[in-house]
Amino acid sequence: MLTPWNALLRRAQERGYALGAFNTYNLEITQAILRAAEAKHAPVLIATGSGALKYAGSEALASIALGHARAATTSVAVHLDHCTSIEEIVACLRLGYTGVMVDGSALPFGENVDLTRRAVQAARAYGASIEAELGAIVGDEDRARTHETNAAMTDPAQAEEFVRATGVDALAVAVGNVHGFYRGEPRLDFDRLREIRALVDVPLVLHGASGLPPETIKQAIVLGVCKFNVNTEIRVALFDSLRAQLLESGDYDLPKVFGTAVTAMQRVIEEKIEVFAHGQILAP
Ligand code: 13P
């Protein structure tokens, strides 16, 4: 069932688990996300980024995501991921999104606050909730490149000021996390995360969850992360499955080939949901 984004996040925060926000670009990825959520009886977030909306067409992708969310047996929210445009935020809110992410992290602090405030105002007009980002998360959310974790990290004192000044519902932080693949062992700055948690009471979000070991994820949940974004590992499962099938059989039977790829993605998503649940029995 389609469920408000903030209700899901708040429930995760109260109960000490995290939600997976899984990026979709098309029908098959959306199917994999929903099948995994239903198999695990878990709430889930379907994330569509600006790049995906451009690729598939906003209305087409939104109707796939919202249609699947409405038909699901578990709680599902549809969320706009990494957006820098108020117009695009409003367009998604009009289509029925209950959560949007404004990303002013590339801007100077004051400009990020201004953009985020305008986005909060837009979201509130539709009864929706909003996530914003402070600090720079390296990498591009649509590509799968390898990155060093040397970007500007979120400053805890600035995080407190940012949340107070903007009224956002969730804060995406940069604590050594990257989009795409990590170069070497991922090392998150847990002391920084702890300091941010002590000063900020809204749910914290960690982007770039592909490649994070389960123990790292569990520690981040203990320190207040309630939402992890996953994209790269799903796309890798999709392309690896398509490549292997075509090399092995040269079979162009679309339902069979894509169906097998959906199962491969579903497996990856189920594993993530299991770790994010942090030992909790999730209410669907
Ligand atoms: P990954 O591609 O590293 O999983 O990151 C996804 C993400 O943060 C999308 O916003």
Side-chain angles (χ1 to χ4, degrees):
M1 66 223 82
L2 188 59
T3 309
W5 182 88
N6 206 27
L8 294 184
L9 223 60
R10 284 289 175 184
R11 190 162 64 187
Q13 187 180 34
E14 278 160 25
R15 299 205 24 213
Y17 62 86
L19 292 162
F22 300 101
N23 285 80
T24 187
Y25 295 77
N26 61 14
L27 171 67
E28 287 76 13
I29 302 176
T30 311
Q31 286 176 332
I33 297 167
L34 268 296
R35 286 180 195 173
E38 291 189 337
K40 290 285 171 192
H41 306 290
V44 78
L45 306 174
I46 304 176
T48 64
S50 293
L53 291 165
K54 251 179 226 103
Y55 157 71
S58 312
E59 297 206 4
L61 188 56
S63 79
I64 289 172
L66 289 163
H68 278 73
R70 287 193 188 100
T73 56
T74 64
S75 302
V76 184
V78 180
H79 178 65
L80 171 62
D81 194 28
H82 290 287
C83 182
T84 54
S85 144
I86 300 290
E87 290 71 32
E88 189 173 30
I89 286 174
V90 171
C92 286
L93 292 167
R94 282 213 181 109
L95 289 169
Y97 282 42
T98 54
V100 290
M101 177 195 186
V102 61
D103 183 356
S105 61
L107 301 170
F109 182 77
E111 289 175 39
N112 189 357
V113 168
D114 285 347
L115 176 70
T116 302
R117 272 197 184 135
R118 286 195 288 131
V120 168
Q121 221 172 18
R124 296 295 178 248
Y126 288 84
S129 307
I130 191 143
E131 169 187 338
E133 181 173 318
L134 185 66
I137 300 168
V138 193
D140 180 314
E141 53 279 9
D142 293 320
R143 301 201 184 126
R145 300 216 175 112
T146 303
H147 297 285
E148 305 279 357
T149 57
N150 58 359
M153 297 210 197
T154 307
D155 176 78
Q158 267 196 349
E160 182 192 26
E161 189 185 341
F162 184 81
V163 170
R164 197 164 8 90
T166 57
V168 287
D169 302 293
L171 182 69
V173 295
V175 291
N177 43 318
V178 304
H179 286 124
F181 298 114
Y182 288 79
R183 190 179 300 284
E185 188 69 16
R187 286 186 202 288
L188 298 190
D189 185 343
F190 287 119
D191 290 337
R192 182 178 297 273
L193 192 55
R194 192 175 290 107
E195 271 185 71
I196 297 170
R197 171 73 300 160
L199 295 170
V200 167
D201 65 355
V202 296
L204 301 178
V205 178
L206 213 66
H207 286 251
S210 290
L212 288 181
E215 281 317 309
T216 303
I217 287 171
K218 285 179 189 163
Q219 207 170 339
I221 294 173
V222 170
L223 293 174
V225 172
C226 304
K227 169 175 175 276
F228 289 92
N229 284 48
V230 184
N231 186 344
T232 300
E233 280 191 55
I234 303 171
R235 295 201 319 278
V236 169
L238 168 63
F239 288 120
D240 282 356
S241 170
L242 295 179
R243 188 191 302 114
Q245 292 185 75
L246 291 177
L247 286 175
E248 269 163 32
S249 65
D251 190 347
Y252 289 87
D253 178 339
L254 192 142
K256 184 164 160 257
V257 172
F258 276 97
T260 303
V262 168
T263 305
M265 292 187 279
Q266 179 182 344
R267 211 172 297 128
V268 169
I269 298 165
E270 283 189 30
E271 281 169 16
K272 296 289 175 203
I273 289 174
E274 184 81 41
V275 180
F276 298 159
H278 202 232
Q280 304 267 350
I281 312 271
L282 302 174

PDB file of all heavy atoms in Angstrom, residues 21 23 47 81-82 101 131 133 137 140-144 177-182 206-211 227-235, ligand 1:
ATOM      1  N   ALA A  21      16.091   2.535   0.546  1.00  0.00           N
ATOM      2  CA  ALA A  21      15.542   3.319  -0.571  1.00  0.00           C
ATOM      3  C   ALA A  21      16.262   2.806  -1.805  1.00  0.00           C
ATOM      4  O   ALA A  21      17.474   3.011  -1.949  1.00  0.00           O
ATOM      5  CB  ALA A  21      15.791   4.805  -0.372  1.00  0.00           C
ATOM      6  N   ASN A  23      16.834   2.543  -5.816  1.00  0.00           N
ATOM      7  CA  ASN A  23      16.615   3.353  -7.028  1.00  0.00           C
ATOM      8  C   ASN A  23      16.074   2.513  -8.169  1.00  0.00           C
ATOM      9  O   ASN A  23      16.587   1.434  -8.464  1.00  0.00           O
ATOM     10  CB  ASN A  23      17.929   3.983  -7.492  1.00  0.00           C
ATOM     11  CG  ASN A  23      18.319   5.142  -6.619  1.00  0.00           C
ATOM     12  OD1 ASN A  23      18.851   4.952  -5.530  1.00  0.00           O
ATOM     13  ND2 ASN A  23      18.048   6.354  -7.068  1.00  0.00           N
ATOM     14  N   ALA A  47      12.919   4.784  -4.934  1.00  0.00           N
ATOM     15  CA  ALA A  47      13.521   6.086  -5.220  1.00  0.00           C
ATOM     16  C   ALA A  47      13.683   6.272  -6.718  1.00  0.00           C
ATOM     17  O   ALA A  47      14.142   5.369  -7.424  1.00  0.00           O
ATOM     18  CB  ALA A  47      14.879   6.194  -4.531  1.00  0.00           C
ATOM     19  N   ASP A  81      14.675  11.259  -5.598  1.00  0.00           N
ATOM     20  CA  ASP A  81      16.042  11.195  -5.072  1.00  0.00           C
ATOM     21  C   ASP A  81      16.899  12.312  -5.705  1.00  0.00           C
ATOM     22  O   ASP A  81      16.738  12.600  -6.899  1.00  0.00           O
ATOM     23  CB  ASP A  81      16.609   9.810  -5.444  1.00  0.00           C
ATOM     24  CG  ASP A  81      17.880   9.471  -4.695  1.00  0.00           C
ATOM     25  OD1 ASP A  81      18.071   9.962  -3.568  1.00  0.00           O
ATOM     26  OD2 ASP A  81      18.684   8.690  -5.256  1.00  0.00           O
ATOM     27  N   HIS A  82      17.798  12.907  -4.944  1.00  0.00           N
ATOM     28  CA  HIS A  82      18.769  13.891  -5.451  1.00  0.00           C
ATOM     29  C   HIS A  82      18.207  14.841  -6.508  1.00  0.00           C
ATOM     30  O   HIS A  82      18.445  14.672  -7.709  1.00  0.00           O
ATOM     31  CB  HIS A  82      19.981  13.193  -6.078  1.00  0.00           C
ATOM     32  CG  HIS A  82      20.842  12.527  -5.076  1.00  0.00           C
ATOM     33  ND1 HIS A  82      21.663  13.229  -4.222  1.00  0.00           N
ATOM     34  CD2 HIS A  82      21.013  11.225  -4.782  1.00  0.00           C
ATOM     35  CE1 HIS A  82      22.307  12.379  -3.452  1.00  0.00           C
ATOM     36  NE2 HIS A  82      21.927  11.151  -3.754  1.00  0.00           N
ATOM     37  N   MET A 101      13.725  14.567  -2.143  1.00  0.00           N
ATOM     38  CA  MET A 101      15.030  14.963  -1.629  1.00  0.00           C
ATOM     39  C   MET A 101      15.545  16.136  -2.437  1.00  0.00           C
ATOM     40  O   MET A 101      15.692  16.040  -3.666  1.00  0.00           O
ATOM     41  CB  MET A 101      16.027  13.816  -1.744  1.00  0.00           C
ATOM     42  CG  MET A 101      17.410  14.241  -1.290  1.00  0.00           C
ATOM     43  SD  MET A 101      18.678  13.110  -1.777  1.00  0.00           S
ATOM     44  CE  MET A 101      20.081  13.825  -0.918  1.00  0.00           C
ATOM     45  N   GLU A 131      13.816  15.409   2.457  1.00  0.00           N
ATOM     46  CA  GLU A 131      15.181  15.088   2.882  1.00  0.00           C
ATOM     47  C   GLU A 131      16.109  16.075   2.179  1.00  0.00           C
ATOM     48  O   GLU A 131      15.853  16.450   1.035  1.00  0.00           O
ATOM     49  CB  GLU A 131      15.498  13.650   2.416  1.00  0.00           C
ATOM     50  CG  GLU A 131      16.948  13.232   2.543  1.00  0.00           C
ATOM     51  CD  GLU A 131      17.183  11.845   1.894  1.00  0.00           C
ATOM     52  OE1 GLU A 131      16.220  11.060   1.734  1.00  0.00           O
ATOM     53  OE2 GLU A 131      18.335  11.569   1.539  1.00  0.00           O
ATOM     54  N   GLU A 133      20.533  17.384   1.884  1.00  0.00           N
ATOM     55  CA  GLU A 133      21.898  16.864   2.055  1.00  0.00           C
ATOM     56  C   GLU A 133      22.850  17.977   2.453  1.00  0.00           C
ATOM     57  O   GLU A 133      22.793  19.080   1.915  1.00  0.00           O
ATOM     58  CB  GLU A 133      22.354  16.228   0.742  1.00  0.00           C
ATOM     59  CG  GLU A 133      23.758  15.636   0.799  1.00  0.00           C
ATOM     60  CD  GLU A 133      24.097  14.872  -0.475  1.00  0.00           C
ATOM     61  OE1 GLU A 133      23.242  14.130  -0.990  1.00  0.00           O
ATOM     62  OE2 GLU A 133      25.226  15.044  -0.968  1.00  0.00           O
ATOM     63  N   ILE A 137      28.741  14.096  -0.965  1.00  0.00           N
ATOM     64  CA  ILE A 137      28.909  12.654  -1.169  1.00  0.00           C
ATOM     65  C   ILE A 137      29.512  12.479  -2.559  1.00  0.00           C
ATOM     66  O   ILE A 137      28.900  12.866  -3.550  1.00  0.00           O
ATOM     67  CB  ILE A 137      27.554  11.923  -1.057  1.00  0.00           C
ATOM     68  CG1 ILE A 137      26.957  12.167   0.342  1.00  0.00           C
ATOM     69  CG2 ILE A 137      27.722  10.439  -1.326  1.00  0.00           C
ATOM     70  CD1 ILE A 137      25.515  11.738   0.478  1.00  0.00           C
ATOM     71  N   ASP A 140      28.503   9.968  -8.744  1.00  0.00           N
ATOM     72  CA  ASP A 140      27.272  10.291  -9.458  1.00  0.00           C
ATOM     73  C   ASP A 140      26.305   9.157  -9.194  1.00  0.00           C
ATOM     74  O   ASP A 140      26.648   7.988  -9.331  1.00  0.00           O
ATOM     75  CB  ASP A 140      27.645  10.356 -10.957  1.00  0.00           C
ATOM     76  CG  ASP A 140      26.462  10.684 -11.820  1.00  0.00           C
ATOM     77  OD1 ASP A 140      25.397  10.089 -11.614  1.00  0.00           O
ATOM     78  OD2 ASP A 140      26.620  11.533 -12.716  1.00  0.00           O
ATOM     79  N   GLU A 141      25.063   9.513  -8.850  1.00  0.00           N
ATOM     80  CA  GLU A 141      24.154   8.441  -8.447  1.00  0.00           C
ATOM     81  C   GLU A 141      23.718   7.545  -9.607  1.00  0.00           C
ATOM     82  O   GLU A 141      23.215   6.455  -9.379  1.00  0.00           O
ATOM     83  CB  GLU A 141      22.956   8.974  -7.659  1.00  0.00           C
ATOM     84  CG  GLU A 141      22.115  10.075  -8.223  1.00  0.00           C
ATOM     85  CD  GLU A 141      22.656  11.488  -8.056  1.00  0.00           C
ATOM     86  OE1 GLU A 141      23.822  11.660  -7.631  1.00  0.00           O
ATOM     87  OE2 GLU A 141      21.929  12.420  -8.383  1.00  0.00           O
ATOM     88  N   ASP A 142      23.920   7.976 -10.858  1.00  0.00           N
ATOM     89  CA  ASP A 142      23.504   7.131 -11.983  1.00  0.00           C
ATOM     90  C   ASP A 142      24.637   6.271 -12.554  1.00  0.00           C
ATOM     91  O   ASP A 142      24.398   5.437 -13.406  1.00  0.00           O
ATOM     92  CB  ASP A 142      22.948   7.995 -13.121  1.00  0.00           C
ATOM     93  CG  ASP A 142      21.642   8.668 -12.717  1.00  0.00           C
ATOM     94  OD1 ASP A 142      20.828   8.004 -12.062  1.00  0.00           O
ATOM     95  OD2 ASP A 142      21.469   9.847 -13.032  1.00  0.00           O
ATOM     96  N   ARG A 143      25.875   6.522 -12.113  1.00  0.00           N
ATOM     97  CA  ARG A 143      26.998   5.773 -12.689  1.00  0.00           C
ATOM     98  C   ARG A 143      27.618   4.895 -11.621  1.00  0.00           C
ATOM     99  O   ARG A 143      27.447   5.147 -10.437  1.00  0.00           O
ATOM    100  CB  ARG A 143      28.047   6.728 -13.222  1.00  0.00           C
ATOM    101  CG  ARG A 143      27.448   7.619 -14.273  1.00  0.00           C
ATOM    102  CD  ARG A 143      28.492   8.204 -15.167  1.00  0.00           C
ATOM    103  NE  ARG A 143      27.807   9.127 -16.069  1.00  0.00           N
ATOM    104  CZ  ARG A 143      28.163  10.389 -16.226  1.00  0.00           C
ATOM    105  NH1 ARG A 143      29.211  10.863 -15.581  1.00  0.00           N
ATOM    106  NH2 ARG A 143      27.483  11.166 -17.036  1.00  0.00           N
ATOM    107  N   ALA A 144      28.363   3.907 -12.073  1.00  0.00           N
ATOM    108  CA  ALA A 144      28.998   3.005 -11.111  1.00  0.00           C
ATOM    109  C   ALA A 144      30.509   3.135 -11.251  1.00  0.00           C
ATOM    110  O   ALA A 144      31.154   2.282 -11.842  1.00  0.00           O
ATOM    111  CB  ALA A 144      28.536   1.583 -11.359  1.00  0.00           C
ATOM    112  N   ASN A 177      30.953   8.083   3.037  1.00  0.00           N
ATOM    113  CA  ASN A 177      30.168   7.288   2.086  1.00  0.00           C
ATOM    114  C   ASN A 177      30.297   7.873   0.682  1.00  0.00           C
ATOM    115  O   ASN A 177      30.418   9.095   0.533  1.00  0.00           O
ATOM    116  CB  ASN A 177      28.686   7.230   2.513  1.00  0.00           C
ATOM    117  CG  ASN A 177      28.127   8.566   2.998  1.00  0.00           C
ATOM    118  OD1 ASN A 177      28.787   9.301   3.727  1.00  0.00           O
ATOM    119  ND2 ASN A 177      26.915   8.886   2.590  1.00  0.00           N
ATOM    120  N   VAL A 178      30.275   7.011  -0.339  1.00  0.00           N
ATOM    121  CA  VAL A 178      30.374   7.465  -1.733  1.00  0.00           C
ATOM    122  C   VAL A 178      29.300   6.775  -2.579  1.00  0.00           C
ATOM    123  O   VAL A 178      28.853   5.675  -2.250  1.00  0.00           O
ATOM    124  CB  VAL A 178      31.764   7.158  -2.366  1.00  0.00           C
ATOM    125  CG1 VAL A 178      32.880   7.749  -1.550  1.00  0.00           C
ATOM    126  CG2 VAL A 178      31.982   5.665  -2.573  1.00  0.00           C
ATOM    127  N   HIS A 179      28.913   7.436  -3.661  1.00  0.00           N
ATOM    128  CA  HIS A 179      28.052   6.785  -4.654  1.00  0.00           C
ATOM    129  C   HIS A 179      28.930   5.903  -5.533  1.00  0.00           C
ATOM    130  O   HIS A 179      30.023   6.309  -5.915  1.00  0.00           O
ATOM    131  CB  HIS A 179      27.382   7.828  -5.552  1.00  0.00           C
ATOM    132  CG  HIS A 179      26.278   8.593  -4.871  1.00  0.00           C
ATOM    133  ND1 HIS A 179      26.280   9.960  -4.791  1.00  0.00           N
ATOM    134  CD2 HIS A 179      25.138   8.173  -4.274  1.00  0.00           C
ATOM    135  CE1 HIS A 179      25.173  10.344  -4.168  1.00  0.00           C
ATOM    136  NE2 HIS A 179      24.472   9.291  -3.838  1.00  0.00           N
ATOM    137  N   GLY A 180      28.462   4.745  -5.886  1.00  0.00           N
ATOM    138  CA  GLY A 180      29.245   3.858  -6.754  1.00  0.00           C
ATOM    139  C   GLY A 180      30.084   2.919  -5.906  1.00  0.00           C
ATOM    140  O   GLY A 180      29.718   2.580  -4.789  1.00  0.00           O
ATOM    141  N   PHE A 181      31.239   2.519  -6.440  1.00  0.00           N
ATOM    142  CA  PHE A 181      32.091   1.562  -5.729  1.00  0.00           C
ATOM    143  C   PHE A 181      33.091   2.282  -4.830  1.00  0.00           C
ATOM    144  O   PHE A 181      33.569   3.362  -5.165  1.00  0.00           O
ATOM    145  CB  PHE A 181      32.855   0.703  -6.738  1.00  0.00           C
ATOM    146  CG  PHE A 181      31.951  -0.116  -7.617  1.00  0.00           C
ATOM    147  CD1 PHE A 181      31.873   0.138  -8.979  1.00  0.00           C
ATOM    148  CD2 PHE A 181      31.169  -1.136  -7.088  1.00  0.00           C
ATOM    149  CE1 PHE A 181      31.032  -0.608  -9.795  1.00  0.00           C
ATOM    150  CE2 PHE A 181      30.325  -1.884  -7.896  1.00  0.00           C
ATOM    151  CZ  PHE A 181      30.265  -1.620  -9.251  1.00  0.00           C
ATOM    152  N   TYR A 182      33.429   1.663  -3.703  1.00  0.00           N
ATOM    153  CA  TYR A 182      34.454   2.207  -2.797  1.00  0.00           C
ATOM    154  C   TYR A 182      35.823   1.728  -3.268  1.00  0.00           C
ATOM    155  O   TYR A 182      35.971   0.595  -3.714  1.00  0.00           O
ATOM    156  CB  TYR A 182      34.220   1.717  -1.360  1.00  0.00           C
ATOM    157  CG  TYR A 182      33.010   2.365  -0.731  1.00  0.00           C
ATOM    158  CD1 TYR A 182      31.721   1.918  -1.023  1.00  0.00           C
ATOM    159  CD2 TYR A 182      33.153   3.439   0.136  1.00  0.00           C
ATOM    160  CE1 TYR A 182      30.605   2.522  -0.468  1.00  0.00           C
ATOM    161  CE2 TYR A 182      32.041   4.055   0.701  1.00  0.00           C
ATOM    162  CZ  TYR A 182      30.775   3.591   0.389  1.00  0.00           C
ATOM    163  OH  TYR A 182      29.677   4.205   0.934  1.00  0.00           O
ATOM    164  N   LEU A 206      21.968   7.644   4.881  1.00  0.00           N
ATOM    165  CA  LEU A 206      23.284   7.359   4.312  1.00  0.00           C
ATOM    166  C   LEU A 206      23.119   6.933   2.854  1.00  0.00           C
ATOM    167  O   LEU A 206      22.548   5.860   2.582  1.00  0.00           O
ATOM    168  CB  LEU A 206      23.962   6.255   5.114  1.00  0.00           C
ATOM    169  CG  LEU A 206      25.476   6.343   5.211  1.00  0.00           C
ATOM    170  CD1 LEU A 206      25.906   7.572   6.000  1.00  0.00           C
ATOM    171  CD2 LEU A 206      26.036   5.105   5.854  1.00  0.00           C
ATOM    172  N   HIS A 207      23.578   7.781   1.962  1.00  0.00           N
ATOM    173  CA  HIS A 207      23.592   7.424   0.540  1.00  0.00           C
ATOM    174  C   HIS A 207      24.836   6.578   0.274  1.00  0.00           C
ATOM    175  O   HIS A 207      25.774   6.586   1.060  1.00  0.00           O
ATOM    176  CB  HIS A 207      23.600   8.688  -0.321  1.00  0.00           C
ATOM    177  CG  HIS A 207      22.260   9.361  -0.340  1.00  0.00           C
ATOM    178  ND1 HIS A 207      21.447   9.362  -1.442  1.00  0.00           N
ATOM    179  CD2 HIS A 207      21.586  10.014   0.627  1.00  0.00           C
ATOM    180  CE1 HIS A 207      20.325  10.001  -1.145  1.00  0.00           C
ATOM    181  NE2 HIS A 207      20.385  10.419   0.101  1.00  0.00           N
ATOM    182  N   GLY A 208      24.818   5.905  -0.868  1.00  0.00           N
ATOM    183  CA  GLY A 208      25.996   5.126  -1.239  1.00  0.00           C
ATOM    184  C   GLY A 208      26.135   3.855  -0.431  1.00  0.00           C
ATOM    185  O   GLY A 208      27.239   3.493  -0.013  1.00  0.00           O
ATOM    186  N   ALA A 209      25.026   3.144  -0.225  1.00  0.00           N
ATOM    187  CA  ALA A 209      25.098   1.934   0.606  1.00  0.00           C
ATOM    188  C   ALA A 209      25.632   0.718  -0.157  1.00  0.00           C
ATOM    189  O   ALA A 209      25.962  -0.297   0.459  1.00  0.00           O
ATOM    190  CB  ALA A 209      23.738   1.619   1.207  1.00  0.00           C
ATOM    191  N   SER A 210      25.740   0.826  -1.492  1.00  0.00           N
ATOM    192  CA  SER A 210      26.323  -0.306  -2.235  1.00  0.00           C
ATOM    193  C   SER A 210      27.767  -0.496  -1.785  1.00  0.00           C
ATOM    194  O   SER A 210      28.535   0.467  -1.750  1.00  0.00           O
ATOM    195  CB  SER A 210      26.322  -0.017  -3.743  1.00  0.00           C
ATOM    196  OG  SER A 210      25.014  -0.040  -4.230  1.00  0.00           O
ATOM    197  N   GLY A 211      28.111  -1.717  -1.455  1.00  0.00           N
ATOM    198  CA  GLY A 211      29.501  -2.004  -1.096  1.00  0.00           C
ATOM    199  C   GLY A 211      29.810  -1.828   0.382  1.00  0.00           C
ATOM    200  O   GLY A 211      30.926  -2.106   0.813  1.00  0.00           O
ATOM    201  N   LYS A 227      17.790   5.348   7.062  1.00  0.00           N
ATOM    202  CA  LYS A 227      17.505   5.136   5.630  1.00  0.00           C
ATOM    203  C   LYS A 227      18.832   4.980   4.902  1.00  0.00           C
ATOM    204  O   LYS A 227      19.739   5.807   5.094  1.00  0.00           O
ATOM    205  CB  LYS A 227      16.730   6.329   5.086  1.00  0.00           C
ATOM    206  CG  LYS A 227      16.571   6.403   3.577  1.00  0.00           C
ATOM    207  CD  LYS A 227      15.676   7.593   3.191  1.00  0.00           C
ATOM    208  CE  LYS A 227      15.569   7.793   1.700  1.00  0.00           C
ATOM    209  NZ  LYS A 227      16.689   8.582   1.140  1.00  0.00           N
ATOM    210  N   PHE A 228      18.951   3.919   4.120  1.00  0.00           N
ATOM    211  CA  PHE A 228      20.127   3.697   3.270  1.00  0.00           C
ATOM    212  C   PHE A 228      19.681   3.707   1.814  1.00  0.00           C
ATOM    213  O   PHE A 228      18.664   3.070   1.485  1.00  0.00           O
ATOM    214  CB  PHE A 228      20.765   2.330   3.561  1.00  0.00           C
ATOM    215  CG  PHE A 228      21.454   2.240   4.891  1.00  0.00           C
ATOM    216  CD1 PHE A 228      20.772   1.784   6.008  1.00  0.00           C
ATOM    217  CD2 PHE A 228      22.785   2.609   5.023  1.00  0.00           C
ATOM    218  CE1 PHE A 228      21.398   1.698   7.243  1.00  0.00           C
ATOM    219  CE2 PHE A 228      23.421   2.518   6.251  1.00  0.00           C
ATOM    220  CZ  PHE A 228      22.729   2.070   7.361  1.00  0.00           C
ATOM    221  N   ASN A 229      20.445   4.379   0.961  1.00  0.00           N
ATOM    222  CA  ASN A 229      20.113   4.390  -0.467  1.00  0.00           C
ATOM    223  C   ASN A 229      20.995   3.408  -1.219  1.00  0.00           C
ATOM    224  O   ASN A 229      22.218   3.415  -1.052  1.00  0.00           O
ATOM    225  CB  ASN A 229      20.329   5.790  -1.045  1.00  0.00           C
ATOM    226  CG  ASN A 229      19.214   6.727  -0.651  1.00  0.00           C
ATOM    227  OD1 ASN A 229      18.846   6.790   0.509  1.00  0.00           O
ATOM    228  ND2 ASN A 229      18.680   7.452  -1.619  1.00  0.00           N
ATOM    229  N   VAL A 230      20.358   2.602  -2.039  1.00  0.00           N
ATOM    230  CA  VAL A 230      21.088   1.567  -2.786  1.00  0.00           C
ATOM    231  C   VAL A 230      20.724   1.674  -4.264  1.00  0.00           C
ATOM    232  O   VAL A 230      19.547   1.648  -4.617  1.00  0.00           O
ATOM    233  CB  VAL A 230      20.707   0.154  -2.292  1.00  0.00           C
ATOM    234  CG1 VAL A 230      21.540  -0.902  -3.013  1.00  0.00           C
ATOM    235  CG2 VAL A 230      20.856   0.025  -0.787  1.00  0.00           C
ATOM    236  N   ASN A 231      21.744   1.758  -5.100  1.00  0.00           N
ATOM    237  CA  ASN A 231      21.514   1.831  -6.531  1.00  0.00           C
ATOM    238  C   ASN A 231      22.499   0.913  -7.268  1.00  0.00           C
ATOM    239  O   ASN A 231      22.103  -0.051  -7.925  1.00  0.00           O
ATOM    240  CB  ASN A 231      21.658   3.292  -6.989  1.00  0.00           C
ATOM    241  CG  ASN A 231      21.289   3.504  -8.441  1.00  0.00           C
ATOM    242  OD1 ASN A 231      21.199   2.562  -9.217  1.00  0.00           O
ATOM    243  ND2 ASN A 231      21.079   4.747  -8.834  1.00  0.00           N
ATOM    244  N   THR A 232      23.808   1.185  -7.136  1.00  0.00           N
ATOM    245  CA  THR A 232      24.819   0.490  -7.943  1.00  0.00           C
ATOM    246  C   THR A 232      24.695  -1.034  -7.902  1.00  0.00           C
ATOM    247  O   THR A 232      24.731  -1.699  -8.943  1.00  0.00           O
ATOM    248  CB  THR A 232      26.227   0.906  -7.468  1.00  0.00           C
ATOM    249  OG1 THR A 232      26.349   2.319  -7.629  1.00  0.00           O
ATOM    250  CG2 THR A 232      27.313   0.231  -8.267  1.00  0.00           C
ATOM    251  N   GLU A 233      24.552  -1.597  -6.720  1.00  0.00           N
ATOM    252  CA  GLU A 233      24.544  -3.069  -6.622  1.00  0.00           C
ATOM    253  C   GLU A 233      23.360  -3.678  -7.376  1.00  0.00           C
ATOM    254  O   GLU A 233      23.449  -4.804  -7.865  1.00  0.00           O
ATOM    255  CB  GLU A 233      24.499  -3.516  -5.156  1.00  0.00           C
ATOM    256  CG  GLU A 233      25.859  -3.467  -4.489  1.00  0.00           C
ATOM    257  CD  GLU A 233      25.855  -4.169  -3.131  1.00  0.00           C
ATOM    258  OE1 GLU A 233      25.482  -5.344  -3.040  1.00  0.00           O
ATOM    259  OE2 GLU A 233      26.241  -3.499  -2.152  1.00  0.00           O
ATOM    260  N   ILE A 234      22.261  -2.918  -7.456  1.00  0.00           N
ATOM    261  CA  ILE A 234      21.092  -3.438  -8.199  1.00  0.00           C
ATOM    262  C   ILE A 234      21.402  -3.442  -9.695  1.00  0.00           C
ATOM    263  O   ILE A 234      21.132  -4.407 -10.413  1.00  0.00           O
ATOM    264  CB  ILE A 234      19.838  -2.571  -7.918  1.00  0.00           C
ATOM    265  CG1 ILE A 234      19.534  -2.522  -6.422  1.00  0.00           C
ATOM    266  CG2 ILE A 234      18.637  -3.098  -8.692  1.00  0.00           C
ATOM    267  CD1 ILE A 234      18.451  -1.518  -6.051  1.00  0.00           C
ATOM    268  N   ARG A 235      22.000  -2.335 -10.160  1.00  0.00           N
ATOM    269  CA  ARG A 235      22.314  -2.262 -11.599  1.00  0.00           C
ATOM    270  C   ARG A 235      23.353  -3.307 -11.987  1.00  0.00           C
ATOM    271  O   ARG A 235      23.301  -3.884 -13.067  1.00  0.00           O
ATOM    272  CB  ARG A 235      22.794  -0.857 -11.969  1.00  0.00           C
ATOM    273  CG  ARG A 235      21.729   0.210 -11.799  1.00  0.00           C
ATOM    274  CD  ARG A 235      22.036   1.460 -12.622  1.00  0.00           C
ATOM    275  NE  ARG A 235      23.426   1.856 -12.601  1.00  0.00           N
ATOM    276  CZ  ARG A 235      24.007   2.562 -11.641  1.00  0.00           C
ATOM    277  NH1 ARG A 235      23.305   2.945 -10.597  1.00  0.00           N
ATOM    278  NH2 ARG A 235      25.282   2.879 -11.707  1.00  0.00           N
TER     279      ARG A 235
HETATM  280  P1  13P B   1      24.997   3.555  -4.563  1.00  0.00           P
HETATM  281  O1  13P B   1      24.848   3.644  -6.040  1.00  0.00           O
HETATM  282  O2  13P B   1      26.398   3.679  -4.126  1.00  0.00           O
HETATM  283  O3  13P B   1      24.299   2.378  -3.977  1.00  0.00           O
HETATM  284  O4  13P B   1      24.272   4.854  -3.957  1.00  0.00           O
HETATM  285  C1  13P B   1      22.907   5.030  -4.191  1.00  0.00           C
HETATM  286  C2  13P B   1      22.436   6.335  -3.726  1.00  0.00           C
HETATM  287  O5  13P B   1      22.916   6.885  -2.758  1.00  0.00           O
HETATM  288  C3  13P B   1      21.331   6.963  -4.478  1.00  0.00           C
HETATM  289  O6  13P B   1      20.956   8.186  -3.977  1.00  0.00           O
END
